[in-house]
Amino acid sequence: MNILPTLATGVALAASLGSAVADEARWRDCRTCHTVEAPDGNVLARGGRSGPNLYGIARRPLASASGFAFYSNDMRAAAATGARWSEENFVAYLAGPDEFLRRVTGDDNAQSGMHVELRTGGRELYRWLESLSN
């Protein structure tokens, strides 16, 4: 009996589960304000509603979450540039929301309504959110 395929499958499953746990741990900082709710109403990641729904954020234009009306003027100005939530933009925004908006808008005084910075793990969080939206 060859146990290598079984062992490899077990290692891959453990790595996958470890990744899911790590991504959900990153979600703890986000869920205070955000939720991930599919268009059919299925809540994929429970959270608050003071921030926009993050369902489908991957490649979506900035400030475009359906039903969310509380984007800051500076976020709306950034959206007017045509910027989208690419992985790079998402990571940059999480690492420094005000700095991201200042770079995108060219306004040295631009400020984000988000008061949390996530300097690490942004790529993984983006990919996790993307996976929930597929």
Side-chain angles (χ1 to χ4, degrees):
M1 175 179 179
N2 187 349
I3 65 166
L4 288 179
T6 304
L7 182 60
T9 301
V11 170
L13 180 60
S16 175
L17 290 174
S19 176
V21 169
D23 295 333
E24 287 185 36
R26 285 184 189 91
W27 176 247
R28 283 186 206 131
D29 288 334
C30 308
R31 71 179 179 201
T32 299
C33 299
H34 300 277
T35 192
V36 181
E37 183 176 331
D40 66 3
N42 185 24
V43 176
L44 304 170
R46 192 162 308 283
R49 299 207 179 262
S50 62
N53 178 7
L54 297 183
Y55 182 86
I57 193 166
R59 294 171 297 285
R60 180 171 77 197
L62 272 60
S64 66
S66 178
F68 187 76
F70 301 108
Y71 289 109
S72 69
N73 290 336
D74 292 326
M75 180 58 84
R76 291 180 195 279
T81 69
R84 301 181 83 78
W85 287 119
S86 65
E87 186 173 322
E88 294 303 317
N89 281 345
F90 186 81
V91 170
Y93 182 73
L94 290 179
D98 294 343
E99 293 81 6
F100 173 80
L101 291 179
R102 290 170 186 162
R103 180 179 54 81
V104 172
T105 64
D107 179 352
D108 291 339
N109 296 313
Q111 293 186 346
S112 169
M114 190 168 92
H115 304 292
V116 174
E117 292 182 355
L118 183 65
R119 301 231 180 248
T120 62
R123 288 187 194 290
E124 294 80 7
L125 184 59
Y126 180 88
R127 291 174 188 156
W128 182 71
L129 289 167
E130 184 177 36
S131 75
L132 291 178
S133 301
N134 290 329

